[in-house]
Amino acid sequence: MSKRRILLKLSGEALAKDNGIGIDFEKVLRIASAIKETCGKDIELAVVVGGGNFWRGRSNTMMDSCTSDHIGMLATAMNALALGDALKQVGSDVRVMTSIEMKEIAEHYIRDKAIKDLEKGRIVIFGCGIGSPFFSSDTAAALRAAEINADIILKATNVDYVYTKDPRKYDDYEIIKETSHLNVIKEKLRVMDLTAISLCMENNIPIRVFNLNKLNNLKKAIKGMEIGTVIK
């Protein structure tokens, strides 16, 4: 049986409390349990986490943008550690890797090591983005997916599909169930930033966008079921 290698992209808000701040550990445990129940011998799973529940950019216009991004990267490390701990609690074998060296708390990201861990059935969580400012965690997800030869990126969101317009603001929106990377760029659809979409297009990595908040959607997405919007 051939294995599927999946890169799951979780926003910081996916782990947050209802007010969007901090970590809701019950919510994180639910995500960890869904991953544990779904990932078997035929699935290899890596995860990239954002940091929006702790840091959403410069708190004032005087802050240096590089400093702001460095703070954001550290926020993703906290989320990576929290998710890693939850996965251990439910019995998963997990490794947390960061692109900024912090050897006392996590492994430094090395591509070959990450791939070997995946092949051994470990869940690998990537923190700290790509380790450089000016790049989003979505771009980190696209880059890591390309580096580990992932078959697909699963982007967990709080909406059911990709839409032609924001359904919260407009009534004449249309649901998009399937589209191309190029069309996402041309139509400026709000899926991922341009760098992330371009990386996925250049490396032929499909993206499935789905609603994490719907019951069992994470399990369905990992299993490869047709939910949400697919971009390929």
Side-chain angles (χ1 to χ4, degrees):
M1 180 183 294
S2 60
K3 292 185 178 181
R4 293 176 67 235
R5 183 170 292 168
I6 297 168
L7 191 293
L8 173 63
K9 170 58 173 61
L10 293 173
S11 66
E13 288 84 351
L15 312 180
K17 299 174 183 178
D18 291 340
N19 62 3
I21 300 172
I23 296 175
D24 183 332
F25 288 99
E26 289 187 5
K27 188 183 293 184
V28 178
L29 277 170
R30 286 197 297 270
I31 292 172
S33 295
I35 290 172
K36 168 67 175 176
E37 292 169 16
T38 314
C39 289
K41 294 181 179 179
D42 59 332
I43 294 174
E44 297 172 349
L45 184 73
V47 186
V48 168
V49 289
N53 52 325
F54 288 115
W55 188 253
R56 292 183 176 84
R58 285 179 287 179
S59 58
N60 64 73
T61 56
M62 300 300 291
M63 179 175 281
D64 177 75
S65 56
C66 288
T67 300
S68 175
D69 284 356
H70 287 150
I71 295 171
M73 283 184 260
L74 295 177
T76 71
M78 291 190 286
N79 285 332
L81 290 169
L83 180 59
D85 181 77
L87 284 163
K88 290 175 184 176
Q89 287 186 49
V90 299
S92 293
D93 193 2
V94 60
R95 293 290 183 273
V96 176
M97 293 187 168
T98 56
S99 52
I100 296 174
E101 189 170 4
M102 41 185 76
K103 60 185 179 180
E104 286 80 9
I105 61 173
E107 295 184 19
H108 191 232
Y109 169 70
I110 299 174
R111 174 182 178 267
D112 288 348
K113 179 68 167 59
I115 290 173
K116 286 180 180 178
D117 281 335
L118 289 167
E119 290 173 344
K120 291 177 180 178
R122 295 175 179 136
I123 296 167
V124 181
I125 305 172
F126 300 121
C128 295
I130 68 169
S132 298
F134 305 112
F135 293 96
S136 69
S137 57
D138 279 346
T139 295
L143 178 61
R144 295 290 180 254
E147 288 178 314
I148 66 171
N149 303 312
D151 296 303
I152 192 169
I153 293 175
L154 301 180
K155 180 171 170 60
T157 68
N158 58 4
V159 294
D160 294 327
Y161 301 97
V162 174
Y163 303 92
T164 53
K165 296 180 180 180
D166 188 338
R168 294 166 295 188
K169 297 180 180 179
Y170 303 96
D171 294 327
D172 59 340
Y173 68 88
E174 295 180 11
I175 293 172
I176 301 172
K177 291 190 175 181
E178 184 173 321
T179 188
S180 66
H181 299 100
L182 187 59
N183 193 58
V184 169
I185 295 170
K186 284 182 176 179
E187 300 297 327
K188 298 180 180 179
L189 301 176
R190 298 182 65 180
V191 179
M192 289 178 158
D193 61 72
L194 181 61
T195 304
I197 290 292
S198 298
L199 268 170
C200 290
M201 182 171 65
E202 291 170 6
N203 291 279
N204 298 312
I205 303 170
I207 306 162
R208 184 171 296 281
V209 180
F210 70 99
N211 191 339
L212 181 67
N213 299 320
K214 290 287 185 70
L215 184 65
N216 294 324
N217 262 9
L218 179 54
K219 293 180 183 179
K220 291 176 181 177
I222 293 173
K223 288 179 180 178
M225 298 176 69
E226 298 293 325
I227 62 169
T229 298
V230 65
I231 302 160
K232 59 184 179 180

